[in-house]
Amino acid sequence: MKAFVTGATGFLGSHVARVLGEQGADLRLLIRSTSNLRNLEGIKAETATGDLRDSSSLEKGMSGCDTVFHVAADYRLWVRDPAEMYRSNVDGTKAILDAARKNGVRRVVYTSSVATVGFTGNGHPADEDSPVSLADMIGPYKRSKFMAEQLAMEAGGSGMHVVVVNPTTPVGEQDVKPTPTGRIVVDFLKRRFPAYVETGLNLVDVRECAVGHVVALEKGRPGERYILGGENLTLKQILDKLGEISGLPSPKVKLPYVFAFATGIVDEAITGRLLHREPRATVDSVRMGKKKMFASCAKAERELGWKIVPVEGALRRAVQW
């Protein structure tokens, strides 16, 4: 296998590249000229300098590869210019699929997100068939990932061997940025979590999630999507686990939704608009948190042999890292 991997300098992508390398794949990793290469240490691979917004660099970088893992994405819950996110997540995915067609790539795995599935307000776990539409997507990140996923699904349904995976909320080591999920761990360790809101997430070990990508390549059906997840936990349960691991106190004060919403408005206005920094609390993140993002992995269990692994080990590795 000669695999072209995007996003390998990032959190999940670096683990996907590492798993592929350990399984003997020849790797070519897409990097930008400004990329931080810290996560590539110890991975035997070629690199190709390019950008998701530069189709010619993708075609050149992908030349000679028979497999593509498109893991890269702009994963932020607040951005000053939403058009930038659409260019990376939607236009970039289209460019990847076009380059794969032109290069005769045999198989593509597209990394979507559990954010694109249909969640309800009752906390019942969502799955791949839960009713959902673009109108249900909150904020540019969710909307752009939903639109990009549609492109991948359409390609898979029209003759290309494209399989979509929907990771839930990966946790573990190497979250260099960090992602919004990693920021939960960082903020907790810095004692910046005085209170919590009533919400929930499905956490998955990033290493297991990376292995799931490779299994999806081998066993997944073209034009289908698979949720790769782990444990459904409330935010309070997550913080309690971080407290047990780190020895730091877990917050006991639950923040009412209306107060959290007001905090998001103020933080966006001051931190985002005036100070030109990414706010820690955003209106979109608070709106997302109104629904517990619990998910079912039954389809991946049936078709891919996916196994749900307790997430405590991944949380411990994240804290130690």
Side-chain angles (χ1 to χ4, degrees), residues 55-112:
S55 57
S56 62
S57 71
L58 298 180
E59 291 176 28
K60 181 180 178 182
M62 210 179 287
S63 176
C65 295
D66 55 29
T67 304
V68 169
F69 286 84
H70 180 31
V71 191
D74 187 343
Y75 178 24
R76 291 178 288 172
L77 299 184
W78 184 88
V79 57
R80 289 182 61 83
D81 181 9
E84 290 291 310
M85 187 168 281
Y86 287 98
R87 280 192 283 270
S88 293
N89 293 348
V90 184
D91 298 345
T93 297
K94 183 180 184 301
I96 285 285
L97 293 171
D98 288 344
R101 287 189 192 95
K102 292 177 180 177
N103 276 287
V105 170
R106 292 190 298 109
R107 295 179 293 176
V108 177
V109 174
Y110 168 65
T111 306
S112 183

Side-chain angles (χ1 to χ4, degrees), residues 1-9 13-14 16-22 24-32 37 40 43-52 56-72 96 99-100 103-105 107 109:
M1 181 198 307
K2 180 74 172 183
F4 182 78
V5 184
T6 72
T9 60
S14 67
V16 171
R18 202 170 297 277
V19 168
L20 286 166
E22 290 169 352
D26 290 328
L27 297 177
R28 185 177 298 151
L29 312 179
L30 180 69
I31 64 171
R32 289 178 294 185
L37 305 183
L40 302 187
I43 300 177
K44 183 181 178 182
E46 299 176 57
T47 58
T49 302
D51 193 283
L52 293 177
S56 62
S57 71
L58 298 180
E59 291 176 28
K60 181 180 178 182
M62 210 179 287
S63 176
C65 295
D66 55 29
T67 304
V68 169
F69 286 84
H70 180 31
V71 191
I96 285 285
N103 276 287
V105 170
R107 295 179 293 176
V109 174

Side-chain angles (χ1 to χ4, degrees), residues 11-12 114 166-173 181 201-213 227-233 238 297 306-315 317-318:
F11 178 39
L12 177 56
V114 78
N166 299 75
T168 55
T169 308
V171 292
E173 67 279 36
T181 308
L201 299 167
N202 181 292
L203 298 190
V204 63
D205 185 318
V206 68
R207 292 181 183 174
E208 297 296 326
C209 190
V211 172
H213 278 63
I227 294 173
L228 303 180
E231 291 187 79
N232 291 312
L233 299 167
I238 295 169
C297 305
W306 177 256
K307 303 290 185 184
I308 294 177
V309 174
V311 78
E312 185 173 341
L315 284 172
R317 296 198 317 270

Side-chain angles (χ1 to χ4, degrees), residues 169-213:
T169 308
V171 292
E173 67 279 36
Q174 309 300 131
D175 193 351
V176 293
K177 207 169 189 178
T179 62
T181 308
R183 193 172 295 120
I184 292 175
V185 178
V186 172
D187 283 349
F188 182 89
L189 295 176
K190 291 185 175 182
R191 305 194 182 202
R192 293 177 180 168
F193 242 112
Y196 65 93
V197 293
E198 186 60 43
T199 189
L201 299 167
N202 181 292
L203 298 190
V204 63
D205 185 318
V206 68
R207 292 181 183 174
E208 297 296 326
C209 190
V211 172
H213 278 63

Side-chain angles (χ1 to χ4, degrees), residues 251-311:
K252 295 180 171 57
V253 177
K254 182 167 70 174
L255 202 62
Y257 176 80
V258 65
F259 189 80
F261 190 80
T263 301
I265 292 174
V266 172
D267 202 10
E268 278 194 19
I270 295 176
T271 306
R273 302 298 174 187
L274 294 180
L275 301 180
H276 305 295
R277 297 200 306 265
E278 186 173 353
R280 290 175 60 236
T282 69
V283 172
D284 283 346
S285 65
V286 175
R287 290 177 63 205
M288 290 178 198
K290 202 168 185 180
K291 294 181 180 179
K292 289 184 173 70
M293 294 178 67
F294 289 166
S296 167
C297 305
K299 181 178 179 180
E301 290 176 300
R302 289 192 309 270
E303 298 190 20
L304 307 182
W306 177 256
K307 303 290 185 184
I308 294 177
V309 174
V311 78

